[in-house]
Each structure stands twice: as structure tokens, then as C-alpha cells.
Amino acid sequence: MKLLGVIVNPLSGDGRGSNIWGEIEPLLKSKGIAYKAKLTTLAGEATHHAVTLLQENKIDQLIVIGGDGTIHEVVGGIMEAAEHGANCRLSVIPAGTGNDFAKAYGIPNNPLQALDIALKAANTVQIDLLKTASGRVAVNSIGAGFDGKVAKLTNEAAYKKWLNRLGLGKIAYFLSILRVFVTYQPCKAWLEVDGTTYEVTDMWLAAIANIPFYGGSIQICPSASSHDGLADIVVIRSRGRFRLLPILFTVYQGKHTQHPAVSFYKGKSISLHTESPLLVQADGEIGGTTPLHIEVIPSGLRVIRAE
């Protein structure tokens, strides 16, 4: 008999994950659904839990109760287990700050509605993945520069915790953007996309996107698709910061695409070298520094999405 695997980050959304699991677990029991659940206590533990569940049990579906960071870790575990023959679908009950992955696949923030979608499993899509040279896998995006600093600041900020408690977690990203914007210093970079190299002066950020959203529903690459076999790349460059002010207030609606400081590319193999090392974020989690090399893994993961 197949078991349903559940991985819960009780601390996601400043405790929202724990509250949601308190709602979901009795429902699974009342429906007579066979499941095995694991709760995280440390950063990185969700990867280990995913590997353990898939290798030790007959599980063909994992439900993640957490945010984008937890999903990121779980997918890393799914890919690791896949090397030994495991195969499963991923479903999500969002409990984080930004919940960009859930937004991209139409999963509502209401836990019971999200659970219903997961259990019905009526619509499964094969999505591409972004894999770095170190073997790290991302489902949403990988970025370097400005957004790396924003991700680090947000994850460490006390206001993220308080805003999550008020249900205003997405504002935390915007506050961090404003803080980093005041002091950030751009640098020279070299971007290679499918063998063609572009010299980028005064680069603020380069983001490689699998979905339109990141950083709490910012539409950084509005046309990005996770099932076209290509990554969308956005580069923002400017010598002066005030020239970029309009971007701060239009990027949430994806209306920054015509700004002269913004350039877009598409490709399967992407490399980024920078004049000085820049922080890298992968699905909002800090993932080292540049240089960076990314390959698209076409149709690398099965995801249960809303109909």
C-alpha cells in the first residue's frame, strides 16, 4: 500500500507551518489516509527527510507544508533519491513568507483548499529545474548580486518575524529591497548564455528564473515558464541608483520590462562571472557566491498543481 509522505516545517511563516499541520493531521486521520510525516527542526533537514521517506517507504507523493525554502530543500532530496530509483510527485500547502512556488502553480494559501488539491491530484505538470555546477537544484530562481543581498538581509531580519505574525510577510522583502538599494554598489560581470558571452557593466543583479515570481510575488521575469525547457534571465544594470527607482515600484506588476536598464535572455546553459564575488540566492536561500554555472533540467520534476 502506498503511503503519503508529509514534510512539515513548523517554524515556517513564524509558526504558521505548525498551526497548519495541527489542522491537516486530524483530517488525514479522519479520512483514513495512510501517511508518514516528518517535521524539521534544523535548516537543511527537509532534504534528509525527503531522502529517508522516499528510500524507506513506498511513497509516490510528498506534501510539503512550508515555504519556498522548505520546498527548495525537499526537491534537493527528491533529486538525490531519484538517483537510486525513487519517483514521486510534489504537492504543496503554503506556509511561508513569499510562497512564490505555490503562486506559480495556482495553489491557494487556504490550507484546506491546498490539501484538497493535493489529495485529488487531478492535474500534474512536469516542470524544469535549475541545477548549479555544485549540484544544487532550484525550482523558482537563482540570482546573484542585489537579490542575493536582499535574500540574506530578509532571512536575518527581525521584521520578517513580526510581519509574518501579522500576515504581512511579503512586505519584509520590500523593506529589505529599500535597505539594500541605498547602499548597493554594482559591478562588472560577464554573462554567457548558450555559448554567447555578454559583457555587463554596472550590474545590479542577474536572475535566472523558472517561474515569473520571486521575493514575495515580485514578477521579475513575467514570461518565464517552467515547462519550456529554457530559463529566463533578467539583468539589471545602471551606474546611478536613482535611474532604477521606477523599477522598484513596477516590478511587482511585471511592468519593468521596457525600462532601459533591464535586459532579458533565454537559454539552457548559463554562466555568470563577476569582477568581485557576489552573493547567490537559490529559491530565496543563500547559496554561496559567484562565479555561477546553471543548466536547465527539462521536465525534471512532477508537480501537482491547481486545475
Side-chain angles (χ1 to χ4, degrees):
M1 180 181 179
K2 293 283 187 181
L3 284 172
L4 179 69
V6 184
I7 296 177
V8 184
N9 181 351
L11 299 180
S12 61
D14 193 38
R16 187 164 184 259
S18 178
N19 295 335
I20 290 174
W21 181 232
E23 283 186 81
I24 297 300
E25 186 175 27
L27 281 174
L28 295 178
K29 289 179 177 178
S30 68
K31 292 175 182 290
I33 295 171
Y35 70 92
K36 192 170 184 67
K38 288 188 175 290
L39 278 64
T40 65
T41 57
L42 301 168
E45 199 172 17
T47 299
H48 174 73
H49 285 337
V51 172
T52 301
L53 283 171
L54 292 173
Q55 290 185 345
E56 296 182 359
N57 304 275
K58 293 182 178 179
I59 288 173
D60 71 346
Q61 181 182 346
L62 275 177
I63 295 179
V64 178
I65 300 176
D68 291 312
T70 308
I71 295 166
H72 174 82
E73 291 185 8
V74 168
V75 171
I78 291 173
M79 298 304 290
E80 184 178 334
E83 295 176 3
H84 302 281
N87 187 15
C88 82
R89 297 167 295 171
L90 176 71
S91 49
V92 172
I93 298 176
T97 301
N99 298 318
D100 292 312
F101 183 89
K103 186 178 181 69
Y105 300 104
I107 308 300
N109 283 328
N110 182 292
L112 301 186
Q113 292 176 0
L115 176 65
D116 186 58
I117 291 168
L119 295 181
K120 285 181 178 176
N123 190 1
T124 300
V125 61
Q126 296 271 158
I127 72 165
D128 305 329
L129 298 171
L130 306 173
K131 187 175 183 179
T132 69
S134 66
R136 189 164 191 162
V137 175
V139 290
N140 295 346
S141 67
I142 298 174
F146 184 84
D147 60 340
K149 292 200 74 170
V150 168
K152 184 175 188 295
L153 182 61
T154 303
N155 290 340
E156 296 173 351
Y159 52 76
K160 177 182 178 182
K161 182 177 181 179
W162 291 106
L163 287 167
N164 274 333
R165 288 179 180 175
L166 296 171
L168 300 171
K170 292 177 183 178
I171 295 176
Y173 289 106
F174 187 67
L175 291 177
S176 296
I177 286 171
L178 293 178
R179 290 178 65 188
V180 176
F181 180 77
V182 174
T183 59
Y184 190 80
Q185 296 299 318
C187 75
K188 189 174 183 178
W190 294 265
L191 173 71
E192 183 180 321
V193 181
D194 291 343
T196 301
T197 301
Y198 305 90
E199 185 176 286
V200 184
T201 55
D202 303 308
M203 189 190 81
W204 281 65
L205 72 81
I208 298 91
N210 201 35
I211 62 173
F213 314 105
Y214 84 164
S217 300
I218 293 170
Q219 294 192 51
I220 191 68
C221 284
S223 65
S225 167
S226 62
H227 46 81
D228 62 357
L230 298 170
D232 281 47
I233 305 107
V234 60
V235 174
I236 298 178
R237 70 189 95 187
S238 179
R239 183 170 298 176
R241 68 190 70 246
F242 294 108
R243 181 176 179 233
L244 300 182
L245 278 173
I247 295 176
L248 296 183
F249 300 99
T250 58
V251 70
Y252 279 87
Q253 295 79 37
K255 295 180 179 179
H256 62 297
T257 56
Q258 300 304 312
H259 193 285
V262 182
S263 301
F264 291 93
Y265 311 86
K266 283 181 181 283
K268 299 177 182 178
S269 178
I270 302 100
S271 295
L272 181 69
H273 297 266
T274 54
E275 200 169 37
S276 54
L278 300 180
L279 278 175
V280 171
Q281 64 83 18
D283 295 337
E285 301 299 305
I286 296 304
T289 60
T290 54
L292 185 61
H293 181 73
I294 296 167
E295 297 284 342
V296 175
I297 305 174
S299 303
L301 180 69
R302 290 186 300 154
V303 172
I304 295 170
R305 63 166 301 152
E307 294 185 72

